[in-house]
Amino acid sequence: MRVAVVGATGMVGEVMLQVLAERNFPVTELIPVASEKSVGKEIEWKGNKYTVVSLATAVEMKPQIALFSAGGDTSKEWAPKFAEVGTTVIDNSSAWRMDASKKLIVPEINASQLTKEDKIIANPNCSTIQMVMALAPLHAKYDIKRIVVSTYQSITGTGVKAVQQLENEYQGIQGDKAYKYPIHRNAIPQCDVFEENGYTKEEMKLVRETQKILSDNTIAVTATAIRIPVVGGHSEAVNIEFEKDFDVNEVRSILEATPGVTVQDDLANYSYPMPIYAQGKDDVFVGRIRRDESQPNTLNMWIVADNLRKGAATNTIQIAEYLVKNQLV
Ligand code: 2RA
């Protein structure tokens, strides 16, 4: 299969290349694509060297699949051009996620929605993916009424510049800034820009994307997204009010039986999810599972995942695997 990776030299692009190799995705021809400044660079993948090409060249090569992580503007302009030559695009930007004609897919939850006609498929935001992975099976059983989520997000979600800023601040040296404020020894209550309602785009993604993926606009969601000086993954404290009551042990059993979810919830042995241990793994880790004793039918939990893997690259490639397995490409 001829596969283009658009944004091949970026953080998510590099992880997509790594995951394609790890999962032995059936690539017969790899087309690394990047912005003009990177065209001509060589990358190595599975022991072979590949030359980075431009978006226009990649379209002419008519890949069967194009995995995008190149920002919303690039996706808005170029995803349709790939689709016009028959390529199926799976896009990591927010460009298409809320487009009513586009599918927003977490394979374990709603891949069955996909058809051959879907030529631009949206990969949800990383903080949404890890949350719905844990909530979808509970919604099916207990019917979610309201979600209150606070996220503690890795600087890798912002990109290389943020990782470098933390390193520079740690070393005490000056350099380019991804954030207006220091991130070392700090917590910044802003991920992405603010919307009119005082919430950030990141917080409103959790609201809107969760409703779309779970196909239920009656689910009330409120979110606070915080940036913290961590690199391994995103963490989330989630409070869920259900329409029906539940048994905490049954909740734990449901999660333990959910593909892609690992329960780490053994307080006697101080076992709970942490980003430093989630880094490099594809599962979503859930712990601190406990009833909210302040109101009926309400549960608290802690959800951690590597935002570059299940939060982006791995979910994208799992969508591609589903397409191939079901002969939709
Ligand atoms: C972030 N989820 O963490 C966003 C984009 N990757 O900044």
Side-chain angles (χ1 to χ4, degrees), residues 240-283:
I240 315 109
E241 181 183 2
F242 298 102
E243 296 290 354
K244 301 167 189 165
D245 198 5
F246 55 84
D247 171 82
V248 174
N249 290 325
E250 183 181 59
V251 165
R252 209 171 273 114
S253 301
I254 290 169
L255 292 170
E256 283 165 349
T258 301
V261 172
T262 294
V263 174
Q264 293 175 326
D265 195 31
D266 176 359
L267 303 188
N269 292 300
Y270 304 101
S271 171
Y272 32 68
M274 290 174 274
I276 198 169
Y277 301 118
Q279 186 170 12
K281 299 186 178 75
D282 288 325
D283 265 19

Side-chain angles (χ1 to χ4, degrees), residues 150-171:
S150 297
T151 72
Y152 306 82
Q153 301 192 204
S154 164
I155 53 171
T156 57
T158 309
V160 175
K161 197 173 172 185
V163 175
Q164 193 56 61
Q165 179 179 339
L166 176 60
E167 187 55 34
N168 290 342
E169 290 172 355
Y170 185 71
Q171 302 283 352

